[in-house]
């Protein structure tokens, strides 16, 4: 064995004392843990040392590469066209991919999307899509490539073969309080995205109370690091830092969000969701060489929403993947909940803040997410906000509705959700949706 003289103990100690690790040492740790040779207790200590000591850029590049190389690295160049993927660091009510992918594909961009399921307080694109009856996100690589060739779009779940080391490491981070580390998040996300093979990548880095990284300065550090990782591997990449101090749109929860996406693709969705999708599509059009500049990209995106082409593309995608396209005409075919309960405001005032992390956790509690790895999602469960930051509410006006099939949880969910709404006497500014562009 080539690495016989490397020792996990010495590598942990080196990191603990703040020394830099070589690519070989990092690769030894990742391979060893992934292959079952380095035990969890040693890898946990390594993660904690990284958490406190951080990593240099070169160390993060090595960590990303080792995690990426732990599984299959797809070669999308076989498609013979530019592919542009978009990835979000995760938020509450973040349904952008479901509107954006068909919008960009309708404009001629090939969009190979591999998405995840719900994670912590955030939802997952795959869980949302699975609320459409019959829709299959477990496609073979051959079918994935076939659909990209035929329709420019396919959204599938991450296969077991993509960055398996990340899966193992993430599960360990989840139980050792080492999730919210910038180098570990950057390497985790980028190892998967780079293994998925798109040559151009648009990153949506969320910041605020509903994001994994809540502080604007740290979100910027994360965005910069991810762009540098992509560039170190010769991929084009832009990161857009966007606000996550309130859910995007009004709906939180799987089928409720699908309904809101369909409305947005019919050009009658919420303004914030529409504008973020138009802006992101404009970047994808420029990065994929479809328009010369962002302004013509925005115009193209608006046209595709208005003339129904983006909605038609979603219809094609649903049909391609075995789903029922009738949901687009009749959204009452989507799963719904037994109970719908109003949350009324106990006083008058302006909505100043939303504890979006808590809203996400309340959504999980009422069935919209998984409480543990084995629990099943209730696709109809969720929350519809009636007020967003800056809106006025009178006493007794509805702040939100809770949708659930679990009657026993309602009282607790109402109390918890109410605590997430912070009112004030003066009108606050509405949060700026797009904070910064990192290239
Ligand atoms: N999403 C990921 O894939 N990894 C992280 O570490 C955080 C969010």
């Amino acid at each position: 064995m080539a690495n016989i003289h490397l020792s996990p103990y010495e590598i942990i100690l080196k990191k603990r004392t703040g020394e830099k690790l070589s690519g070989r040492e990092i690769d030894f740790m990742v391979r060893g843990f992934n292959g079952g040779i380095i035990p969890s207790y040693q890898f946990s200590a390594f993660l904690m040392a990284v958490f406190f000591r951080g990593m240099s850029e070169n160390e993060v590049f090595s960590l990303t590469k080792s995690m990426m190389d732990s599984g299959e690295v797809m070669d999308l160049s076989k498609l013979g066209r530019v592919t542009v993927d978009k990835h979000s660091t995760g938020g509450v009510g973040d349904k952008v991919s479901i509107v954006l992918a068909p919008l960009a594909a309708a404009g001629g961009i090939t969009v190979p999307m591999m998405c995840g399921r719900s994670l912590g307080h955030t939802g997952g694109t795959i869980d949302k899509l699975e609320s459409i009856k019959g829709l299959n996100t477990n496609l073979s690589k051959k079918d994935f490539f076939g659909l990209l060739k035929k329709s420019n779009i396919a959204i599938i779940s991450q296969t077991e073969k993509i960055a398996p080391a990340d899966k193992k490491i993430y599960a360990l981070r989840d139980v050792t309080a080492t999730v919210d580390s910038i180098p570990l998040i950057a390497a985790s996300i980028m190892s998967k995205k780079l293994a998925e093979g798109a040559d151009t990548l648009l990153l949506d880095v969320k910041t605020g109370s509903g994001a994994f990284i809540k502080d604007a300065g740290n979100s910027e550090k994360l965005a910069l690091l991810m762009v540098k990782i992509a560039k170190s591997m010769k991929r084009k990449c832009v990161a857009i830092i966007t606000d996550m101090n309130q859910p995007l749109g009004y709906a939180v929860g799987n089928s409720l969000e699908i309904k809101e996406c369909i409305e947005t693709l019919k050009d009658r969705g919420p303004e914030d969701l529409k504008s973020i999708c138009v802006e992101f599509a404009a970047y994808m059009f420029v990065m994929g060489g479809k328009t010369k500049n962002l302004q013509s990209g925005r115009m193209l995106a608006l046209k595709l929403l208005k003339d129904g082409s983006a909605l038609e593309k979603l219809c094609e995608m649903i049909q391609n993947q075995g789903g029922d396209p009738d949901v687009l005409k009749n959204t009452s075919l989507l799963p719904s909940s037994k109970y719908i309960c109003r949350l009324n405001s106990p006083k008058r005032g302006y909505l100043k803040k939303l504890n979006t992390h808590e809203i996400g956790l309340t959504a999980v509690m009422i069935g919209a997410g998984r409480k543990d790895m084995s629990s099943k999602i209730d696709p109809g469960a969720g929350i519809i906000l009636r007020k967003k930051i800056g809106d006025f509410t009178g006493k007794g006006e509805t702040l939100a509705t809770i949708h659930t099939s679990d009657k026993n949880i309602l009282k607790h969910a109402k109390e918890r959700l109410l605590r997430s709404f912070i009112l004030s006497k003066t009108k606050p500014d509405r949060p700026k949706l797009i904070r910064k562009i990192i290239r």
Side-chain angles (χ1 to χ4, degrees):
M1 189 176 157
N3 285 322
I4 200 96
H5 55 284
L6 290 176
S7 127
Y9 175 92
E10 284 175 39
I11 293 171
I12 297 165
L13 184 63
K14 217 172 151 183
K15 182 77 321 211
R16 199 194 80 185
T17 49
E19 276 183 69
K20 294 208 179 4
L21 301 179
S22 68
R24 204 169 139 253
E25 286 166 324
I26 290 171
D27 197 48
F28 170 77
M29 291 302 285
V30 172
R31 277 172 193 265
F33 178 59
N34 192 42
I37 294 160
I38 295 179
S40 297
Y41 56 83
Q42 277 186 314
F43 207 79
S44 305
F46 172 71
L47 290 172
M48 195 54 88
V50 169
F51 183 92
F52 281 113
R53 287 292 183 178
M55 274 186 151
S56 70
E57 276 174 11
N58 281 337
E59 286 177 303
V60 182
F61 297 167
S62 299
L63 180 62
T64 309
K65 187 159 182 343
S66 298
M67 281 159 62
M68 177 182 91
D69 289 339
S70 68
E72 180 181 13
V73 178
M74 295 235 265
D75 180 9
L76 291 174
S77 67
K78 285 182 196 146
L79 289 169
R81 30 185 138 147
V82 179
T83 49
V84 189
D85 192 4
K86 169 260 166 193
H87 181 80
S88 160
T89 55
V92 180
D94 179 3
K95 51 195 80 79
V96 170
S97 294
I98 299 162
V99 177
L100 179 64
L103 178 57
I109 298 288
T110 301
V111 190
M113 265 195 190
M114 274 204 194
C115 299
R117 295 187 180 275
S118 65
L119 190 66
H121 66 288
T122 68
T125 300
I126 295 301
D127 294 323
K128 292 171 202 186
L129 283 172
E130 283 181 354
S131 57
I132 299 173
K133 198 170 148 223
L135 195 140
N136 178 16
T137 59
N138 284 316
L139 301 185
S140 67
K141 195 167 130 186
K142 189 167 161 257
D143 289 345
F144 184 49
F145 275 57
L147 292 183
L148 290 173
K149 264 198 170 146
K150 176 180 150 206
S151 300
N152 267 344
I153 183 173
I155 304 186
I156 64 168
S157 36
Q158 256 139 15
T159 71
E160 297 288 318
K161 291 181 185 153
I162 295 290
D166 172 64
K167 196 166 184 205
K168 262 190 102 171
I169 295 172
Y170 193 92
L172 193 59
R173 285 167 61 208
D174 211 15
V175 292
T176 55
T178 48
V179 170
D180 50 342
S181 146
I182 291 173
L184 295 179
I185 294 177
S188 163
I189 291 177
M190 295 307 284
S191 62
K192 288 178 289 228
K193 286 292 121 187
L194 295 168
E196 286 161 21
D199 37 28
T200 306
L201 195 54
L202 181 62
L203 298 171
D204 181 2
V205 179
K206 301 278 181 210
T207 189
S209 65
F212 280 105
I213 298 283
K214 306 200 182 319
D215 161 83
N218 283 332
S219 303
E220 190 168 337
K221 279 187 196 153
L222 175 63
L224 256 171
L225 188 55
M226 290 200 290
V227 170
K228 282 185 182 166
I229 295 171
K231 290 190 174 161
S232 78
M233 299 206 193
K234 310 270 177 286
R235 312 281 176 96
K236 272 201 243 170
C237 181
V238 171
I240 304 185
I241 301 179
T242 63
D243 184 75
M244 190 23 76
N245 282 302
Q246 57 184 342
L248 255 181
Y250 291 90
V252 179
N254 301 291
S255 69
L256 298 174
E257 292 192 43
I258 290 290
K259 199 169 166 189
E260 196 166 61
C261 291
I262 294 170
E263 288 301 300
T264 306
L265 286 164
K266 288 181 178 169
D267 206 12
R268 35 185 216 223
E271 203 40 53
D272 58 347
L273 179 60
K274 177 179 171 178
S275 70
I276 204 170
C277 291
V278 167
E279 196 62 19
F280 277 47
Y283 273 90
M284 289 173 83
F285 291 144
V286 173
M287 291 164 92
K290 287 287 160 197
T291 60
K292 279 210 183 89
N293 55 44
L294 287 173
Q295 194 45 27
S296 35
R298 290 182 193 111
M299 303 298 286
L300 175 60
L302 288 169
K303 176 186 156 290
L304 297 167
L305 283 176
K306 204 164 182 187
D307 69 12
S309 319
L311 181 71
E312 238 170 73
K313 203 36 120 176
L314 179 65
C315 182
E316 190 181 335
M317 186 201 106
I318 293 174
Q319 274 171 324
N320 282 345
Q321 297 188 213
D324 177 9
D326 287 349
V327 294
L328 299 178
K329 282 187 232 126
N330 180 6
T331 51
S332 67
L333 292 172
L334 288 164
S336 57
S337 285
K338 265 200 207 144
Y339 306 101
I340 300 177
C341 167
R342 285 172 193 275
L343 178 74
N344 294 334
S345 180
K347 57 181 185 186
R348 67 199 301 273
Y350 290 96
L351 184 54
K352 184 179 164 205
K353 260 193 191 161
L354 276 169
N355 186 339
T356 309
H357 190 105
E358 271 298 297
I359 294 176
L361 290 176
T362 309
V364 173
M365 192 175 95
I366 60 176
R370 288 179 192 78
K371 292 168 198 97
D372 55 58
M373 272 156 80
S374 61
S375 64
K376 272 190 89 175
I377 278 183
D378 169 4
I383 295 162
I384 302 272
L385 299 179
R386 299 285 179 213
K387 302 284 178 191
K388 297 210 25 175
I389 295 175
D391 288 349
F392 180 78
T393 177
K395 184 174 172 185
E397 250 192 87
T398 302
L399 295 172
T401 52
I402 299 175
H403 299 235
T404 185
S405 296
D406 183 355
K407 198 175 179 185
N408 299 328
I409 210 87
L410 265 174
K411 185 169 173 287
H412 185 39
K414 266 177 92 170
E415 286 164 4
R416 190 167 187 181
L417 192 58
L418 188 59
R419 285 196 297 273
S420 309
F421 285 78
I422 317 290
L423 300 181
S424 73
K425 287 195 177 122
T426 50
K427 190 172 177 171
D429 290 337
R430 294 182 197 272
K432 194 168 167 238
L433 196 53
I434 295 188
R435 301 286 192 84
K436 204 161 186 168
I437 313 293
I438 311 274
R439 290 165 207 274

